[in-house]
Amino acid sequence: MRMRSLTRSAAGTTLAAALAVGLAAGFTSPADAQDAAASLASLPASSATPSSAPSPAHTGCDPIAGTACLLPFPDDWYTRPDHSIPTGRRIDFTASDLPVSALAGPADPTAWNRLDGFSPGSALVLTVPGLDLAASGLAPVTDIGRSLVADAPIVIIDETTGARWPYWAEIDANDPQHRALLVHPARDFLDGHHYAVGIRNLRSATGAKIPAPAPFARILSHQLPKQDPLSERQRELKPVLTTLRRNGVRTSDLYLAWDFTVASTASLTGDLTSIRDNAFARLGSAAPTYTVTSVTDLTATQDPNIARVVEGTIQLPSYLSQPGGPTGSVFNRGPNGRPAQLPGNIQTADFRCEIPRAAWTKPSQAALYGHGLLGSRNEVGSGNVKAMAGEHDFTFCATDWIGMAADDPNTVIAALANLSAFPEVTERTQQGVLNALFLGRDLVNPAGFAASPAFRTADGRSLLDSRAGVVYDGNSQGGILGGVLVAVSPDVKRAVLGVTAMNYSILLNRSVDFTELQPALDAGYPDKLQQQIVFQLMQMLWDHAETDGYAQHLTDGHEVLMDVAFGDHQVANVAADVEARTIGARLHVPALASGRSPDTAPYWGIAPMIGPAYKGSAMVVWDSGTPPAPLTNTAPTGPQYGHDPHEDPRNSPAVRLQKAVFLTTGVVIDVCGSAPCAEPPVS
């Protein structure tokens, strides 16, 4: 077994730190903070104790880099052969490999060890003492094309296809001590594929070549005798070195080389698709059971756009471990490892629908709405959503994204400080997606909402056009999670993902929102280098509940319009660009006015839309005049970054017109007059 010493903090220290975390994260009362403290301090023993597992393929940390465990990351050293799963490899972490929480102790690797590879959005993480990005010629985010030149210092090869992979490289600006090198795929790695990495000819600020770590240098030097501790690792790396040589990388130039496997589609999406398939098979042709709890009719004076608000609940199977699936639940897993319903466990999902005045003249288009970070279904009643409904005859209905909703801040805080608790976020979020899928089915099934007097006129005419199906519109977190809903929905074929992106491991450091949650991460994992590893480990689980894990197939049978706010302070544009490249979205051009982007080739790798009316998935960039975001992995805090444009696109009548046409026809019309799309900031 891979083992190293493990220590726990004293209980009093844990409680005090948790209390400080709760207050720093913006809780409004000490009682709220005490709840967060309890979430951390009262974790069950099983959350901090590694489960029994077969003997790993290796012992200890990968010796090639000679630094912290799990570096370089991702790395097939931490997998073992398993021919029963699609990739033939299984993640094989032990508690001694994973970062140890200062609050909760060692992490349980069980959730990771179900997977057959790493995240398709994984950043490559390693430390290179003395590295200078410019002197080494590493491709920055402003010049991604440089990553594919013949002599690029970092070469990533898809061994399944033989193709070079694009990326950008940066130094972790949050950690001047370790200065970790972060290498982000410019387009997500492909599900189930195997990659070889070669890093060569790295330079210090003086231009001096940085020598390879001593263990790796020994592997390259000569054939090691079998009794040498590095002999087996040398044998394993031979195919990687062969692949690199075939691609013009001389072994003598290497600083480091290794390989990794990306999780298969079945591994990434299998939990959610299994509960979807089970729940819908049991539902059959029926509509989900629902109860209308209130109907509020509004006069035009009270609301010029919305004539009726309908609220209620939907009942569906819960696949979570606690009755009713409260916050903190994880999946109840059956003998095959997939989620299974406990006998009689029912999820009750609250919903709210806003029916526009126009529906009394012409039945409205049914639409699901996705709310923002740790919000609620009540966001469907915000001004911009009601304006969209009233202007374009949409009935928007929403339910809470449980797992990442208003009930969940304490659980999220606990999970940031303790990796073992992270499935409580991602697994409940998947149940939340299923809740939204059932809400969508009630919108389109004639025996669903259309059969209720709450969705009919006084003379019995339906206010919903059930023939038009259901579409999706979500903003911020509703865009990040909305891609999952669209990818797995049997009913939604078109969606707008507003101020969106994917891959929380990129987004967190770059978001002003995360500054309130950073104290939780600091309390659990104070070392900044370990935090970058924690982000990557979290992403391996987050992939199951956010678009990053579904992006390869998001546009298979679906059409998606991405609306992006240039310089967004909350959802980083760089991660939206990766999403657009991954899903094959076309770009409205010109995207920005000349001089607005700091990039050498703005929107590298994203093909332009063809013509003023393009049918298909696309990305439109909306510019409110905000300065570009930092080029580092830091948030745009401070007056030099100006107004946060995050709310601007959804509040634009032009954006709402473009969205409405797209959602009803699949055509992206040019509402910007063949010019960059610009809107004044929301006051």
Side-chain angles (χ1 to χ4, degrees):
M1 296 289 288
R2 295 186 277 244
M3 296 298 294
R4 56 186 170 89
S5 62
L6 302 171
T7 60
R8 293 179 181 270
S9 300
T13 303
T14 299
L15 184 61
L19 182 61
V21 167
L23 293 172
F27 289 107
T28 56
S29 71
D32 287 336
Q34 290 284 3
D35 288 343
S39 297
L40 291 168
S42 63
L43 289 168
S46 60
S47 293
T49 304
S51 62
S52 59
S55 297
H58 296 106
T59 56
C61 306
D62 190 346
I64 60 173
T67 54
C69 210
L70 290 183
L71 296 184
F73 188 97
D75 182 358
D76 266 357
W77 172 271
Y78 300 99
T79 66
R80 61 180 173 84
D82 186 339
H83 299 298
S84 69
I85 51 181
T87 67
R89 308 292 305 177
R90 183 180 292 277
I91 299 297
D92 191 37
F93 292 143
T94 67
S96 59
D97 300 327
L98 300 176
V100 176
S101 169
L103 300 180
D108 181 352
T110 300
W112 288 269
N113 290 351
R114 295 189 187 102
L115 310 177
D116 65 3
F118 297 90
S119 169
S122 287
L124 279 55
V125 184
L126 64 155
T127 56
V128 184
L131 174 67
D132 186 274
L133 289 178
S136 300
L138 291 168
V141 69
T142 54
D143 190 5
I144 290 172
R146 196 193 304 177
S147 68
L148 298 179
V149 299
D151 62 348
I154 299 174
V155 176
I156 305 174
I157 305 294
D158 181 340
E159 292 208 81
T160 309
T161 67
R164 289 270 297 271
W165 209 258
Y167 59 84
W168 83 89
E170 62 185 1
I171 295 294
D172 180 13
N174 303 285
D175 184 9
Q177 177 185 356
H178 298 105
R179 301 183 75 249
L181 175 61
L182 309 176
V183 183
H184 303 279
R187 183 173 67 249
D188 263 12
F189 298 118
L190 295 176
D191 298 359
H193 285 218
H194 183 245
Y195 292 83
V197 182
I199 300 182
R200 58 180 172 174
N201 296 329
L202 299 182
R203 305 282 173 177
S204 68
T206 65
K209 185 175 180 179
I210 299 174
F216 187 69
R218 287 191 63 235
I219 285 172
L220 297 183
S221 63
H222 59 275
Q223 183 69 36
L224 299 173
K226 287 186 178 181
Q227 63 270 27
D228 191 292
L230 289 173
S231 174
E232 181 65 15
R233 193 67 178 119
Q234 183 183 59
R235 185 189 65 79
E236 290 175 339
L237 287 174
K238 279 185 178 180
V240 176
L241 299 177
T242 298
T243 294
L244 292 170
R245 282 195 297 270
R246 288 172 178 166
N247 284 271
V249 180
R250 295 189 304 177
T251 302
S252 59
D253 291 337
L254 284 170
Y255 173 83
L256 203 63
W258 74 97
D259 62 338
F260 64 92
T261 300
V262 176
S264 67
T265 301
S267 182
L268 293 164
T269 69
D271 282 349
L272 178 52
T273 56
S274 71
I275 66 173
R276 176 203 63 189
D277 293 347
N278 180 270
F280 276 93
R282 293 160 65 179
L283 182 65
S285 61
T289 300
Y290 68 92
T291 302
V292 172
T293 57
S294 73
V295 177
T296 304
D297 288 323
L298 304 169
T299 67
T301 302
Q302 291 173 311
D303 193 313
N305 290 303
I306 301 301
R308 180 175 293 173
V309 178
V310 181
E311 296 182 271
T313 60
I314 292 177
Q315 289 73 48
L316 68 153
S318 175
Y319 297 87
L320 297 172
S321 57
Q322 300 180 50
T327 186
S329 301
V330 295
F331 279 139
N332 174 64
R333 294 187 180 272
N336 66 351
R338 290 298 188 195
Q341 185 188 20
L342 287 169
N345 197 11
I346 298 299
Q347 195 77 39
T348 298
D350 296 317
F351 71 83
R352 174 173 170 173
C353 297
E354 304 271 332
I355 307 177
R357 299 194 175 281
W360 270 257
T361 302
K362 176 179 175 291
S364 60
Q365 167 69 63
L368 293 170
Y369 179 76
H371 65 71
L373 180 65
L374 297 173
S376 78
R377 64 195 178 280
N378 292 326
E379 189 179 306
V380 77
S382 59
N384 68 88
V385 183
K386 293 195 292 185
M388 174 78 172
E391 292 163 4
H392 302 289
D393 197 14
F394 282 75
T395 289
F396 283 104
C397 294
T399 186
D400 295 346
W401 287 113
I402 65 167
M404 289 289 286
D407 290 343
D408 299 300
N410 291 352
T411 299
V412 171
I413 285 173
L416 287 169
N418 172 24
L419 280 168
S420 293
F422 206 70
E424 296 173 14
V425 175
T426 59
E427 295 184 4
R428 189 166 185 259
T429 299
Q430 291 171 77
Q431 176 71 46
V433 174
L434 182 63
N435 296 356
L437 295 179
F438 265 54
L439 176 59
R441 179 56 60 88
D442 260 329
L443 278 166
V444 298
N445 192 309
F449 289 168
S452 168
F455 292 87
R456 290 187 171 272
T457 63
D459 59 2
R461 289 182 295 110
S462 176
L463 297 169
L464 297 173
D465 183 359
S466 58
R467 297 171 302 174
V470 62
V471 296
Y472 176 83
D473 187 7
N475 287 298
S476 195
Q477 180 186 280
I480 297 167
L481 304 185
V484 179
L485 183 148
V486 177
V488 302
S489 174
D491 299 313
V492 175
K493 301 304 178 187
R494 295 193 192 105
V496 173
L497 306 180
V499 286
T500 190
M502 65 183 191
N503 194 334
Y504 277 113
S505 71
I506 296 178
L507 292 171
L508 294 185
N509 279 153
R510 289 175 157 85
S511 176
V512 295
D513 294 332
F514 192 62
T515 57
E516 291 188 345
L517 296 173
Q518 182 72 46
L521 182 65
D522 290 339
Y525 302 96
D527 182 82
K528 293 294 184 180
L529 176 58
Q530 284 212 332
Q531 287 185 13
Q532 292 302 327
I533 299 171
V534 167
F535 284 149
Q536 302 309 315
L537 292 168
M538 287 179 174
Q539 191 59 47
M540 292 173 69
L541 303 187
W542 236 328
D543 278 345
H544 305 275
E546 65 116 313
T547 301
D548 193 68
Y550 297 76
Q552 301 291 344
H553 304 286
L554 175 55
T555 51
D556 294 353
H558 303 92
E559 295 170 323
V560 174
L561 174 61
M562 298 172 59
D563 280 330
V564 172
F566 183 70
D568 197 323
H569 291 191
Q570 299 178 52
V571 180
N573 292 168
V574 293
D577 296 349
V578 174
E579 180 174 351
R581 294 186 196 100
T582 302
I583 71 173
R586 295 287 188 119
L587 179 70
H588 170 271
V589 291
L592 293 170
S594 178
R596 286 291 284 147
S597 173
D599 292 4
T600 301
Y603 302 102
W604 180 93
I606 306 175
M609 285 168 43
I610 301 170
Y614 172 73
K615 185 167 177 56
S617 297
M619 181 171 78
V620 180
V621 180
W622 292 89
D623 189 355
S624 302
T626 293
L631 298 178
T632 53
N633 65 325
T634 54
T637 55
Q640 69 271 33
Y641 294 108
H643 159 81
D644 181 1
H646 189 67
E647 301 279 343
D648 294 347
R650 72 189 83 172
N651 283 291
S652 162
V655 173
R656 294 197 292 266
L657 171 61
Q658 188 180 65
K659 291 199 302 182
V661 173
F662 176 78
L663 289 172
T664 53
T665 69
V667 173
V668 184
I669 59 171
D670 185 356
V671 294
C672 305
S674 300
C677 291
E679 276 297 321
V682 176
S683 59

